[in-house]
């Protein structure tokens, strides 16, 4: 049984529920919780039995390492052997927030979390519920996104329960997550640092602090071993084909018409005000204003999951340009569209 612990935003009410969730974590259980990016599936990072249960619940392969969530720099030092000089500026500017750092790992962190690597991924979430949960648990919390492996990340407790009901002990329901795409991952163990996954902190902002970064996408030709396994091409995917098109109303219109001919029932991630063919077999998800990358990011996974639930046979979506959060949107959509089905 999975308990749903519904939060109201009133600390007087929520505190007891978050403490209850922390007790579950301390006892070796699994709790899904909201962060500002997406929901995480948490376990005590220093309890290998609990950490192993994360992999089982998600059906996640053991080669895919986990992010450790902390509330303080002090706690970060419990899991990282050292904080490289470049970490300081990033911590000051972006933490807490949607940034994950790859750091040299401390002895104490199990091979399960790091998938045998000498590095560990560390993140300090900004969401007050995530912070309270880690604080009350009195331990760093290992947590991947709280979805079945390979599925779109969850941005609400409903998404979590859809994928993991019965597999986990509890979900702290804190409503929708504000950022909607996962954290940006930067590897500080390379020189220059490497952007492994674009996410909630835009590349442009990182460059202001770090100068030049290597972009992971430029590093690895198809078919080579991957430095960040979750960057595998097919990921974040709904169960129907995702068809991408250039971001112009006329192109989207044509792409939807073509998809109708091929697939019959078609879902569309529709920017506000864009025209689509008048056809009962077109199902629109009203995505938001084109150009508002933050707003579109917040609703991306919601839209993919909602259209999938309408049982469309394909999803058509315009591809944002590589600027600001548009870069994270592109990355997730390209992975969702990658067909190895
Ligand atoms: O916003 C987020 O980052 C969310 C919330 C819950 O914090 N978490 C999340 O976790 O997206 P997950 O497990 O779905 O994605 C983490 C990614 C994976 O692609 C994993 O391979 C990579 O981080 N990763 C973890 N440890 C790593 C390491 N030591 N070196 C390289 N990549 C690592
Ligand atoms: Mg994930």
């Amino acid at each position: 049984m999975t308990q749903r612990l519904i939060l109201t935003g009133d600390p007087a009410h929520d505190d007891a529920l978050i403490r209850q969730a922390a007790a579950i974590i301390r006892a070796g259980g699994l709790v899904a919780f909201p962060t500002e990016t997406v929901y995480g599936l948490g376990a005590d990072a220093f309890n290998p039995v609990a950490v192993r249960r994360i992999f089982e619940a998600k059906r996640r392969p053991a080669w895919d390492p986990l992010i450790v969530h902390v509330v303080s720099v002090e706690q970060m030092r419990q899991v990282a052997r050292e904080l490289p000089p470049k970490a300081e500026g990033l911590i000051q500017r972006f933490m807490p927030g949607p940034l994950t750092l790859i750091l040299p790992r401390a002895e104490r962190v199990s091979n399960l979390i790091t998938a045998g690597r000498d590095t560990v991924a560390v993140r300090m979430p900004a969401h007050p519920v995530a912070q309270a949960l880690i604080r009350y648990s009195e331990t760093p919390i290992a947590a991947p996104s709280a979805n079945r492996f390979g599925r779109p990340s969850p941005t609400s407790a409903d998404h979590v329960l859809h994928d993991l009901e019965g597999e986990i002990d509890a979900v702290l329901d804190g409503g929708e997550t504000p950022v909607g795409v996962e954290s940006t991952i930067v590897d500080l163990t390379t020189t220059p640092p490497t952007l492994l996954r674009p996410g909630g902190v835009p590349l442009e902002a990182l460059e202001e602090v770090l100068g030049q970064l290597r972009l992971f996408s430029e590093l690895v030709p198809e078919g080579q071993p991957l430095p960040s396994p979750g960057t595998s091409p097919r990921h974040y995917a709904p169960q129907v084909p995702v068809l991408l098109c250039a971001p112009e109303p006329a192109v989207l219109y044509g792409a939807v018409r073509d998809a109708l001919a091929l697939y019959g029932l078609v879902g569309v991630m529709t920017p506000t005000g864009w025209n689509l063919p008048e056809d009962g077999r077109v199902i629109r998800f009203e995505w938001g204003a084109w150009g508002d990358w933050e707003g579109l990011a917040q609703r991306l996974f919601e839209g993919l999951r909602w259209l999938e639930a309408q049982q469309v046979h394909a999803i058509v979506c315009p591809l944002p340009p590589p600027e600001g959060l548009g870069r994270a949107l592109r990355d997730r959509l390209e992975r969702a569209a990658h067909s190895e089905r």
Side-chain angles (χ1 to χ4, degrees):
M1 239 268 298
T2 301
Q3 293 184 69
R4 183 177 192 138
L5 306 171
I6 299 176
L7 306 174
T8 61
D10 172 9
H13 168 271
D14 293 352
D15 208 57
L17 294 180
I18 301 173
R19 285 182 190 278
Q20 192 182 330
I24 297 173
I25 296 274
R26 275 204 305 274
L30 298 186
V31 176
F33 60 98
T35 79
E36 71 276 27
T37 57
V38 301
Y39 276 71
L41 177 58
D44 178 351
F46 292 139
N47 178 341
V49 177
V51 171
R52 179 166 292 119
R53 285 189 60 209
I54 292 178
F55 288 88
E56 288 164 6
K58 282 195 60 149
R59 313 277 190 272
R60 180 177 175 116
W63 48 256
D64 198 356
L66 306 179
I67 298 175
V68 178
H69 294 67
V70 300
V71 272
S72 62
V73 173
E74 190 194 335
Q75 219 171 30
M76 199 177 262
R77 291 183 194 283
Q78 292 177 17
V79 294
R81 191 163 67 235
E82 56 170 317
L83 296 185
K86 290 214 147 101
E88 203 169 297
L90 292 177
I91 291 171
Q92 265 193 16
R93 169 110 183 245
F94 300 113
M95 291 192 175
L99 178 67
T100 295
L101 299 180
I102 305 296
L103 299 169
R105 122 199 205 187
E107 205 64 49
R108 231 182 130 185
V109 178
S110 71
N111 274 318
L112 272 174
I113 289 179
T114 67
R117 289 151 195 262
D118 196 35
T119 57
V120 62
V122 188
R123 155 156 147 71
M124 197 187 291
H127 198 293
V129 173
Q131 292 182 345
L133 179 66
I134 302 165
R135 200 170 299 116
Y136 294 155
S137 300
E138 295 175 1
T139 176
I141 292 183
S145 51
N147 50 284
R148 269 295 169 99
F149 184 71
R151 300 259 306 137
S153 289
T155 56
S156 71
D158 281 342
H159 296 167
V160 173
L161 290 170
H162 180 273
D163 283 12
L164 299 175
E165 170 100 68
E167 310 274 344
I168 64 178
D169 299 297
V171 53
L172 278 165
D173 182 350
E176 287 181 12
T177 56
V179 177
V181 290
E182 304 86 345
S183 60
T184 301
I185 305 182
V186 177
D187 188 346
L188 288 184
T189 68
T190 63
T191 312
T194 308
L195 178 77
L196 291 181
R197 179 176 75 182
V201 172
L203 176 63
E204 293 86 343
L206 281 175
E207 284 173 338
E208 284 170 23
V209 176
L210 289 177
Q212 269 252 293
L213 278 98
R214 276 196 303 181
L215 299 192
F216 164 69
S217 52
E218 292 162 6
L219 287 179
V220 189
E222 291 265 326
Q224 296 297 299
L226 298 163
S228 189
T231 52
S232 64
R234 182 152 171 79
H235 215 91
Y236 309 109
Q239 277 150 358
V240 294
V242 175
L243 314 170
L244 303 177
C245 73
E248 279 161 45
V251 177
L252 179 63
Y253 190 101
V256 171
R257 212 185 35 213
D258 294 349
L260 276 172
L262 260 170
Y263 291 98
L265 191 62
V266 174
V268 187
M269 297 290 284
T270 316
T272 308
W274 290 27
N275 233 356
L276 298 181
E278 292 286 339
D279 189 310
R281 299 169 304 157
V282 174
I283 299 186
R284 297 169 71 109
F285 176 75
E286 299 295 339
W287 194 6
W290 195 253
D292 172 16
W293 312 131
E294 281 81 15
L296 296 173
Q298 204 268 324
R299 287 164 61 73
L300 173 73
F301 292 135
E302 165 72 22
L304 294 175
R305 280 178 178 261
W306 183 81
L307 288 173
E308 179 188 71
Q310 310 312 303
Q311 307 200 320
V312 297
H313 302 158
I315 296 173
V316 183
C317 182
L319 191 60
E323 61 184 47
L325 283 203
R327 207 176 256 103
L329 284 166
R330 269 176 91 85
D331 173 80
R332 305 308 185 269
L333 282 167
E334 280 171 344
R335 286 179 211 293
H338 197 90
S339 57
E340 266 171 24
R341 50 187 78 251

